[in-house]
Amino acid sequence: MKQIVDDYSAALAAHDPKKVNIAPEVFFTENGHAFKPGESELWKGAGTWGEQNYLIDTERCGAVAFGVINENGRLIHAAIRLQTRDGGPITEIEHVLGRESEFMYNPQVVLATSHLDWENILPPDLRQSRALMAAAATDYFAMFAEQPLVNTPFAERCDRWENGIMTTPTHDCSPKGLVIKHPPPRVPLADVEAGLVAAFEHFAGNLADVHVFKMSGGRVQYAMAIVGPASPDPWVEREKNK
């Protein structure tokens, strides 16, 4: 799967979707809007990644690349989800991008997080199940309530970056105290070995959003959020019709 991500990134930088194995029936969105591969803004302007991390889900044959990528000569925040058919053709592509006009914007800070061990493989005794990771990611968004009924397990020190801005000055990732109504997130992929889980959310029912959580020993250690513009979310309806 990592090679497929690299092939896709190379095709993006070449502005040529024919350079990667994309299924004819692929469903592709960029910030919630459907395009054909090669026609979106990132496909037309992409360069190389400035900082790239990988979430590789070998069981479900999917991946998420996240960090900052060059577009038209400057860095933007990006999360790219690829779903394949049994490790072959790419059948789903989802770009969530945060540019200058979006919620916060500081790609240089993301470059400075390159020391974080996003992809390090956890010892077996510190891994958590896919179900526990999905529940932690889902419960995080349910905590944006006056009286949350759930509680994501956070590490004693937990940090979160949203479009490059660290939003945890006291190293507390809990969103308690913020009251925002969200639809349930989609949690399609997890890397159990590395402790990574990605939640795709229509934040406040309005914004394209991906939160990637790093977990170890059953607790969230840190999180990276890529927040895009106000957008539709066609993926929820697509999931219902599968």
Side-chain angles (χ1 to χ4, degrees), residues 38 57 87 120-121 141 167 190:
D57 190 330
N120 283 9
I121 301 302
F141 292 98
T167 54

Side-chain angles (χ1 to χ4, degrees), residues 175-216:
K176 284 183 179 178
L178 293 174
V179 180
I180 305 173
K181 188 175 182 179
H182 304 298
R186 292 176 291 114
V187 189
L189 299 174
D191 183 337
V192 175
E193 289 79 14
L196 296 177
V197 60
F200 289 74
E201 176 63 277
H202 202 210
F203 198 88
N206 185 40
L207 302 176
D209 177 288
V210 183
H211 277 58
V212 180
F213 300 92
K214 174 74 173 187
M215 298 187 67
S216 177

